[in-house]
Amino acid sequence: MEKLMFIETGMGIDVHGQDITSAAIRAVKNAIHYNSMPGIRSVLPENSLDNMRVNVKLAVPCDKEKLDINAVKEALPYGKVTVEVMDGGMMTTSGIVLEDKGDKNDLMYIVVASVEVGY
């Protein structure tokens, strides 16, 4: 990324089902949910959202091999998206096992995201 313009952060939790992809998508959506960048086109090369670069950093507590990177990328509406995965996040008890919600155990997965935007 030549020019870094914004960094947005978020957290996502899968309370039941132990699905790391769901937690990661929620973290990305949480990071971008409350933001608007109305002037972004004016600074992008050729004034095109296609030239926006988005780098997602995900801190995940487990199941890296099960993380669906393409599903995470689809959570971002514009830009050329890259995803970097690192150790982090948290697993903690939800306090209950709900088999009808897909629980294999009582853990909830917490993922932290940083979404960098620029060109």
Side-chain angles (χ1 to χ4, degrees), residues 27-48:
V28 168
K29 287 183 176 184
N30 179 251
I32 67 171
H33 186 76
Y34 301 102
N35 297 288
S36 178
M37 299 179 288
I40 190 75
R41 277 192 182 125
S42 67
V43 297
L44 291 173
E46 301 171 19
N47 300 111
S48 172

Side-chain angles (χ1 to χ4, degrees), residues 11 16-17 22 40 46 55 68 80 85 96 99-100 105 107 111 115:
M11 178 186 72
H16 296 289
S22 291
I40 190 75
E46 301 171 19
N55 184 42
D68 184 342
K80 294 175 182 139
V85 181
I96 189 171
E99 293 173 2
D100 62 320
N105 53 53
L107 293 177
V111 173
V115 179

Side-chain angles (χ1 to χ4, degrees), residues 23-97:
I25 290 169
R26 288 176 180 146
V28 168
K29 287 183 176 184
N30 179 251
I32 67 171
H33 186 76
Y34 301 102
N35 297 288
S36 178
M37 299 179 288
I40 190 75
R41 277 192 182 125
S42 67
V43 297
L44 291 173
E46 301 171 19
N47 300 111
S48 172
L49 292 175
D50 292 332
N51 292 320
M52 183 170 63
R53 302 272 191 257
V54 181
N55 184 42
V56 176
K57 294 179 182 177
L58 297 172
V60 300
C62 63
D63 292 346
K64 285 184 194 177
E65 70 285 353
K66 294 180 182 177
L67 181 62
D68 184 342
I69 299 293
N70 287 325
V72 172
K73 287 180 178 182
E74 289 174 7
L76 293 148
Y78 302 105
K80 294 175 182 139
V81 181
T82 59
V83 177
E84 179 183 342
V85 181
M86 62 193 72
D87 292 334
M90 175 187 277
M91 292 185 301
T92 189
T93 184
S94 67
I96 189 171
V97 175

